[in-house]
Amino acid sequence: MALREKEHFGIARKIVSNMTSESWEQIPHATVTYEPDVTKFLEEYKKLNADCTDKSKKITINTVMMKIICEGLKAAPKLNAHLEFNRKLVRGCMKIYDHIDISMPMILPNGEMMTVNLHNMGDKTLTEMTETILDTARRAKNTDLNEVMFEVSLDNTLNALKRGKITQTVNRLYGSKTGKHRVHTLSGQAKKDYYSIPESERLTKHDIEQGTTTITNVGSIYRPFRGEVNILEIIPPQVSAFAIGSTQKKALVRTNENGEDEIYIGFTCPITVAMDHRALDYGDMVPFFKKLDEIFADPSIIHSWK
């Protein structure tokens, strides 16, 4: 067996691998997949962009699904929280937020993946959410991934030092600054030129920091995807994570006007929800699913969000 090549982790992959390792080491995950009938929803969605003449400003299904999840989180605020837990002392504290900051994986112009923080999405209209996503993508084009990721990594390392994690801090600094695994950041004139770009024109650590929950849209990454996400990482200190699949044509059952069950061809869209079982139980998800049931039963409500 011949070795094809070696590819050392860049800083983005280092951060992801560290956070996901921490997730599986610390968090007892519990997941459930919700699969609504979105046939009527898709009909209403098509009307949503009927008067849109600028395709770049079109409201996407991704944005509407994100808004639907935000509405669900308002009904189930415990899912929109951070957890502080000390296992040695068996002490825990939930920080439940009234704002919804969404951590969302985004593919950058260079093909790399970065998780950005979309702030205060719960109170935004669909148009405002679209503008926020477009503006984030615009600023990403002027962003040096290594620089902004290093800012976040350094901030996390310093916070760990403040919490007394000296060994972890030393190991991280050694791992990022030595040998083949060294993180290459800008220096000299290139660094001056980069940081002369106004923060309003590039992403900063404020755009990368932890949100209150994470939403990943697998359907937007690969539209022909057929299936559902079975499990996904919860990034501490968050207590929930969501994965949206793609719309899929299926044989479904409904009750007709005569009260009889009948089979018809419709569409579903699986949504997987993961929760931190230290902080939440399945019962805490019920208000979330009830709210989504209401929305998909009468999807015309999405027009009031525009």
Side-chain angles (χ1 to χ4, degrees), residues 83-149:
L83 172 67
E84 290 182 355
F85 182 73
N86 185 314
R87 189 174 183 185
K88 290 182 179 179
L89 299 178
V90 197
R91 292 176 179 175
C93 174
M94 286 270 282
K95 294 182 177 180
I96 302 170
Y97 297 101
D98 60 0
H99 59 280
I100 301 173
D101 293 346
I102 297 174
S103 292
M104 183 187 79
M106 174 180 286
I107 298 176
L108 300 177
N110 63 1
E112 294 185 274
M113 183 80 74
M114 174 188 285
T115 298
V116 296
N117 186 338
L118 304 175
H119 292 270
N120 298 315
M121 295 299 270
D123 296 326
K124 285 182 168 63
T125 64
L126 290 173
T127 300
E128 291 169 337
M129 292 174 78
T130 299
E131 290 172 350
T132 297
I133 294 169
L134 290 174
D135 183 64
T136 301
R138 176 188 67 81
R139 290 184 292 124
K141 293 179 181 178
N142 300 324
T143 301
D144 185 291
L145 182 62
N146 282 350
E147 283 297 318
V148 70
M149 287 292 194

Side-chain angles (χ1 to χ4, degrees), residues 44-53 58-59 303 306:
E44 294 298 331
Y45 168 72
K46 289 178 181 178
K47 301 175 189 177
L48 202 59
N49 290 300
D51 59 349
C52 181
T53 56
K58 179 181 176 182
I59 298 171
H303 300 288
K306 191 172 180 181

